[in-house]
Amino acid sequence: MKISLKLICLPLALCVIATHLFAQQQTIDQKVEALLAKMTLDEKIGQLNQYNGDWEATGPVTRDVGNKLDEIKQGRVGAVLNIMGTDHCRTFQDAAMKSRLKIPLLFGQDVIHGYSITFPIPLAEAASWDMAAIEKAERIAATEASASGINWTFAPMLDIARDPRWGRVMEGAGEDPYLGSQIATARVKGFQGNGIGSPDAVMATAKHFAAYGAAIGGRDYNSVDMSLRTLWEIYLPPFKAAADAGVGTFMNSFNDLNGTPATGNSYLQRDILKGAWKFKGFVVSDWGSIGEMINHGYAKDNYEAAQEAITAGSDMDMESRSYINNLAKLVADKKVPVTLIDDAVRRILRKKFELGLFDDPYKFINPEREKTALNRPENLEAARDMARKSMVLLKNDNNLLPLSKNLKTVALIGPLVKAEKELKGFWSLDVDQNKGIVSLMEGMKNHAPDTKFIYAEGCKITGTSHDGFADAIAAAKKANVVIMAMGEAPDMTGEAKSRSNIHIPGEQEELIKAIKATGKPVVVLLMAGRPMVFSWTAENIPSIVYAWWLGTQGGNAMADALYGDYNPSGKLPITFPRSEGQIPIYYNHYNTGRPAKSDTDLFYVSAYNDLRNSPQYAFGHGLSYTTFEYQNMELGKFKSSVKGLKPIQVSFMVKNTGKFAGEEVVQLYIRDMVSQPVRPVKELKDFKKILLQPGEIRRVTFTIKRDELAFYNDRLERVTQPGTFQIMIGSASDDIRLQKSFELTN
Ligand code: NOJ
């Protein structure tokens, strides 16, 4: 018998690597134990304490107490957040090096969508459905941040959101657990690069654990009340994906979940995360969330709050000072066993060792590297590419877009035409005083130097004044085409930025009406951190581009799309409602016992009498300058065999039937037709983004595995049930082009 050399060498090599990794891990564990053995109880508690630095506060600061640097020297602090730049980090790390055991500090920062170069907000990036691009964006953010002293980012935010009133919808990946999980993996890989400890990587944080995005009424920090099935089906999958991708830390959340604050929630942190998922990293509280358990009415005082939090598995206290002020007494009073504290300290020290901070506490603090790593031209190019991919062409009647570069006169109207720093959106960092941001106006001029651009602001983002309308109308009348840049202010989304009214603010839609009345062709570009409501515009304006907040290169990217140098390919990661009255609205809902047959069906069915059921724009919607035809679907059958159940393949052809090269996101949805309990009318299970030249036709194949048909039953067991499954292939959740069914037998 001939055995190939490869067959012997590969397992051998894998075995050597595994032994090496194991040996390395063992050494870290041994080092952790050795250090732990030297630590006093106070020093251990110090590792569980995190303070805000003195750069900028991203929450209510506890203004009391002495000097933070002194506390660091006393070994009373394990991590600091919100400090900027290598000089600043050095000052703090120097203080840590003066402590008895010289345990280095972690430096945390909200590097949410870029560090110095600002990338599109996460919700916008999610609209790209391009995992490679998203991973690259985080790689660049990590390269920049790690060159500036940061070794830990509080990202990615993985909260599923079905409510656009919630201000933090901008920070996540939208409403879908499958898309959200893919993006979670891409972001963790991007931040952590070749692994925690690589010099250009930052340790990532999966946040906010859990269900924070389901705040009742979309009001930030509000309670969450949901079935455990919904938690497992919809809200947990992205967190599981991040854990599987090796994320270093988790952050818990401000909300209570069915009456128990997440910070004091053992079911979430101990049973699920550290138990079922075997998570070996540590959990940081959200800002002050341990102390806030007093406001929740869950703990009487900080002493009790600290006890609840450490017992439930919160390892590090961000800014509430509950641990530093109470844990020693809780141990003395025998309310908290020291083993619980040891477990938390071990988890934190392990990460510090993995980061390489014990070998070199100044590993990420290198001013030379900082000077050369930020704002590199190739990274600006990547930011432009990401921004182009994030836009969604919502509507393009009569192919008004793309614009010709030979137009004589274009009017640029609206309060966001000249926006620069606004394009960075919420959660961006002012690392370089907002230098080099490209506005829409500048982007347009870069593209069409021979066109005359006339600018009129028209109105402000908010307010009631129509004073600028006349100038705007006059500008429109002189132009061949009008481009309007409208939307929210960047601080209308973000933390504590929930809104009950998510219409385009102020008088902007009135201005759109006035400009449309001139009879000129009008393109509306909408910028915001959430889905806005704009029914009149959606029905009356021929071309609409959703441009979110696209970051540093936003203006160039918008002009690339408007002029057709880039063919839009974004698809909505979240449903756009027609009105706030439809919220919460999401595509993967149940059918109900009385589903409406159409948008106008009101006869004893589940519908509003004053509002259609369908959304303004559905999940997965997004147009291109070209068109795609889907044909020839073929579907295999699930076959049982002694070896188990084999996956089946679905394949079909996609053809570019238009004149432009373009990318299409082909989407695969399934529906379990009969099950107990019931399943949604559609669930995204896979997608592919493909580039086709005009006339090109390509076969696309998806593989459906049995696990993708599984779901949680009433007892939270993951099961599949035999019966009919419908497979739907489409260009959007409401644009299904091909479908077939198959039977699953046991
Ligand atoms: C509170 C936010 O909820 C969290 O996401 C953030 O990381 C911390 N503040 C630190 O800024």
Side-chain angles (χ1 to χ4, degrees):
M1 187 173 62
K2 256 190 175 173
I3 299 174
S4 116
L5 204 58
K6 263 192 207 158
L7 276 179
I8 302 176
C9 290
L10 188 68
L12 205 69
L14 289 176
C15 197
V16 172
I17 295 173
T19 321
H20 178 71
L21 286 177
F22 184 64
Q24 220 181 19
Q25 188 55 44
Q26 266 204 326
T27 347
I28 286 187
D29 286 347
Q30 284 163 357
K31 286 178 185 168
V32 167
E33 290 311 320
L35 182 53
L36 196 67
K38 289 188 205 148
M39 294 170 79
T40 62
L41 180 61
D42 285 345
E43 283 166 336
K44 289 176 184 174
I45 295 168
Q47 286 305 302
L48 314 188
N49 183 31
Q50 178 177 178
Y51 282 157
N52 187 52
D54 41 20
W55 174 66
E56 192 179 284
T58 45
V61 187
T62 333
R63 297 203 186 280
D64 53 344
V65 296
N67 182 318
K68 283 176 193 159
L69 289 176
D70 282 347
E71 287 198 61
I72 293 170
K73 287 180 203 157
Q74 291 158 26
R76 286 167 57 80
V77 183
V80 179
L81 80 149
N82 287 336
I83 62 174
M84 289 291 278
T86 50
D87 286 351
H88 208 179
C89 292
R90 179 172 290 277
T91 310
F92 279 74
Q93 202 65 297
D94 281 346
M97 288 307 106
K98 294 196 177 109
S99 64
R100 186 179 79 91
L101 292 170
K102 300 188 179 9
I103 301 178
L105 291 168
L106 291 172
F107 294 115
Q109 181 66 268
D110 290 292
V111 181
I112 307 289
H113 51 114
Y115 182 71
S116 185
I117 298 175
T118 306
F119 280 77
I121 57 166
L123 186 61
E125 289 190 349
S128 74
W129 297 51
D130 187 327
M131 299 309 118
I134 292 175
E135 183 177 333
K136 187 169 176 185
E138 304 305 28
R139 201 69 294 285
I140 292 168
T143 310
E144 290 198 340
S146 63
S148 271
I150 306 302
N151 46 39
W152 183 20
T153 176
F154 301 130
M157 189 197 93
L158 305 178
D159 298 305
I160 296 291
R162 292 169 155 185
D163 190 331
R165 292 171 301 181
W166 188 49
R168 297 193 80 168
V169 70
M170 53 91 37
E171 221 182 310
E175 75 189 37
D176 185 65
Y178 178 76
L179 179 61
S181 301
Q182 301 298 307
I183 292 176
T185 306
R187 290 197 191 280
V188 171
K189 277 161 81 181
F191 282 129
Q192 296 191 168
N194 289 331
I196 296 173
S198 311
D200 64 351
V202 289
M203 181 163 71
T205 308
K207 75 184 188 185
H208 306 84
F209 198 60
Y212 180 42
I216 295 173
R219 213 182 65 211
D220 207 2
Y221 315 127
N222 202 4
S223 296
V224 172
D225 198 278
M226 71 167 59
S227 75
L228 292 183
R229 277 191 66 231
T230 302
L231 178 74
W232 279 90
E233 289 283 348
I234 307 292
Y235 289 84
L236 291 185
F239 289 99
K240 176 68 165 66
D244 290 345
V247 73
T249 60
F250 266 60
M251 183 186 289
N252 57 36
S253 52
F254 289 124
N255 56 285
D256 74 86
L257 172 64
N258 304 331
T260 303
T263 311
N265 200 314
S266 299
Y267 176 61
L268 288 174
Q269 299 174 111
R270 291 237 181 258
D271 300 355
I272 298 178
L273 181 60
K274 294 177 178 175
W277 296 355
K278 301 186 169 53
F279 177 65
K280 296 280 177 280
F282 69 89
V283 180
V284 61
S285 80
D286 203 346
W287 181 296
S289 67
I290 297 180
E292 286 172 16
M293 286 200 287
I294 304 168
N295 292 341
H296 278 285
Y298 195 76
K300 182 166 85 224
D301 49 24
N302 278 96
Y303 175 84
E304 237 181 67
Q307 181 188 358
E308 294 294 344
I310 192 86
T311 308
S314 296
D315 300 306
M316 186 182 274
D317 175 357
M318 182 193 287
E319 264 292 328
S320 95
R321 295 168 196 240
S322 304
Y323 281 2
I324 196 74
N325 293 336
N326 296 288
L327 280 181
K329 182 157 173 23
L330 280 161
V331 172
D333 295 347
K334 304 217 174 329
K335 296 269 178 59
V336 169
V338 89
T339 48
L340 221 53
I341 292 178
D342 284 350
D343 175 59
V345 177
R346 266 190 201 103
R347 288 169 180 274
I348 293 164
L349 292 181
R350 198 181 293 136
K351 291 300 160 202
K352 291 186 175 182
F353 275 109
E354 284 175 15
L355 280 163
L357 292 174
F358 282 98
D359 298 328
D360 178 6
Y362 299 94
K363 179 170 172 179
F364 301 95
I365 305 177
N366 175 344
E368 287 314 307
R369 195 175 132 209
E370 187 176 31
K371 264 185 227 140
T372 56
L374 307 191
N375 306 319
R376 295 175 75 101
E378 67 274 22
N379 293 342
L380 283 166
E381 205 37 57
R384 179 170 180 167
D385 192 46
M386 185 76 251
R388 291 194 291 226
K389 289 178 164 154
S390 302
M391 270 173 282
V392 183
L393 180 62
L394 293 176
K395 191 176 173 191
N396 194 22
D397 285 356
N398 305 321
N399 298 325
L400 175 54
L401 290 174
L403 302 176
S404 156
K405 287 182 186 163
N406 300 323
L407 290 170
K408 249 177 103 190
T409 312
V410 170
L412 296 174
I413 295 175
L416 289 165
V417 170
K418 290 186 169 177
E420 289 182 0
K421 73 174 186 333
E422 292 85 344
L423 298 183
K424 291 176 67 172
F426 198 86
W427 284 122
S428 52
L429 302 161
D430 279 344
V431 176
D432 64 355
Q433 284 80 47
N434 300 319
K435 285 195 283 273
I437 305 171
V438 183
S439 68
L440 172 66
M441 171 94 118
E442 206 183 323
M444 296 296 282
K445 287 183 176 165
N446 291 342
H447 278 71
D450 298 332
T451 297
K452 182 173 176 208
F453 290 99
I454 320 174
Y455 165 68
E457 186 185 34
C459 65
K460 301 284 180 206
I461 292 174
T462 52
T464 53
S465 169
H466 284 207
D467 290 355
F469 276 35
D471 281 355
I473 291 166
K477 284 185 175 158
K478 287 187 210 134
N480 307 98
V481 172
V482 184
I483 310 289
M484 302 189 74
M486 325 296 279
E488 293 191 330
D491 63 358
M492 286 180 172
T493 45
E495 187 179 345
K497 305 292 179 201
S498 295
R499 294 176 74 78
S500 65
N501 175 345
I502 57 167
H503 279 63
I504 307 178
E507 293 300 290
Q508 294 184 75
E509 209 163 28
E510 293 306 308
L511 180 64
I512 297 173
K513 289 179 191 169
I515 299 301
K516 167 77 179 160
T518 63
K520 294 289 177 169
V522 180
V523 176
V524 170
L525 271 168
L526 293 171
M527 301 182 207
R530 62 157 60 83
M532 291 185 291
V533 166
F534 48 92
S535 301
W536 189 91
T537 301
E539 266 145 44
N540 295 283
I541 295 297
S543 289
I544 306 172
V545 178
Y546 218 73
W548 317 99
W549 299 116
L550 293 176
T552 310
Q553 284 291 307
N556 278 333
M558 286 185 264
D560 285 340
L562 293 177
Y563 282 111
D565 290 346
Y566 180 78
N567 185 355
S569 65
K571 301 275 187 180
L572 296 177
I574 186 163
T575 306
F576 276 43
R578 293 179 188 277
S579 121
E580 290 87 352
Q582 290 180 311
I583 298 170
I585 182 168
Y586 44 91
Y587 84 95
N588 46 358
H589 56 82
Y590 298 143
N591 203 36
T592 79
R594 291 188 176 190
K597 288 186 194 66
S598 69
D599 251 6
T600 47
D601 182 12
L602 290 177
F603 193 70
Y604 291 100
V605 292
S606 176
Y608 297 107
N609 280 245
D610 57 350
L611 186 61
R612 288 149 74 176
N613 268 5
S614 65
Q616 190 73 62
Y617 295 108
F619 173 82
H621 171 78
L623 305 175
S624 160
Y625 295 149
T626 191
T627 43
F628 299 98
E629 207 176 278
Y630 290 57
Q631 335 160 332
N632 299 338
M633 179 176 183
E634 287 171 18
L635 178 62
K637 277 198 185 112
F638 266 99
K639 287 190 199 106
S640 303
S641 78
V642 270
K643 285 195 183 137
L645 289 141
K646 294 216 177 78
I648 56 167
Q649 294 203 322
V650 189
S651 76
F652 50 95
M653 308 297 288
V654 183
K655 183 173 182 189
N656 180 342
T657 46
K659 295 199 190 76
F660 296 84
E663 287 177 290
E664 170 73 325
V665 179
V666 291
Q667 301 160 39
L668 178 136
Y669 296 90
I670 67 155
R671 178 170 180 188
D672 186 344
M673 299 305 289
V674 179
S675 64
Q676 287 96 33
V678 295
R679 306 294 306 141
V681 294
K682 266 181 207 116
E683 287 176 274
L684 182 73
K685 288 291 171 183
D686 211 341
F687 61 86
K688 278 195 171 104
K689 189 163 187 170
I690 53 170
L691 171 67
L692 294 177
Q693 299 303 320
E696 189 181 345
I697 182 160
R698 178 139 7 121
R699 179 164 290 281
V700 178
T701 305
F702 289 115
T703 303
I704 305 173
K705 294 182 235 46
R706 191 181 167 107
D707 185 60
E708 284 161 342
L709 310 177
F711 60 92
Y712 291 95
N713 67 13
D714 283 338
R715 291 191 204 135
L716 299 180
E717 297 152 340
R718 202 156 161 79
V719 296
T720 43
Q721 290 176 355
T724 309
F725 286 81
Q726 201 176 5
I727 303 290
M728 294 161 271
I729 303 292
S731 177
S733 65
D734 68 343
D735 185 8
I736 299 299
R737 306 286 183 86
L738 301 167
Q739 50 185 305
K740 277 184 189 286
S741 302
F742 69 86
E743 294 295 317
L744 178 70
T745 49
N746 258 341

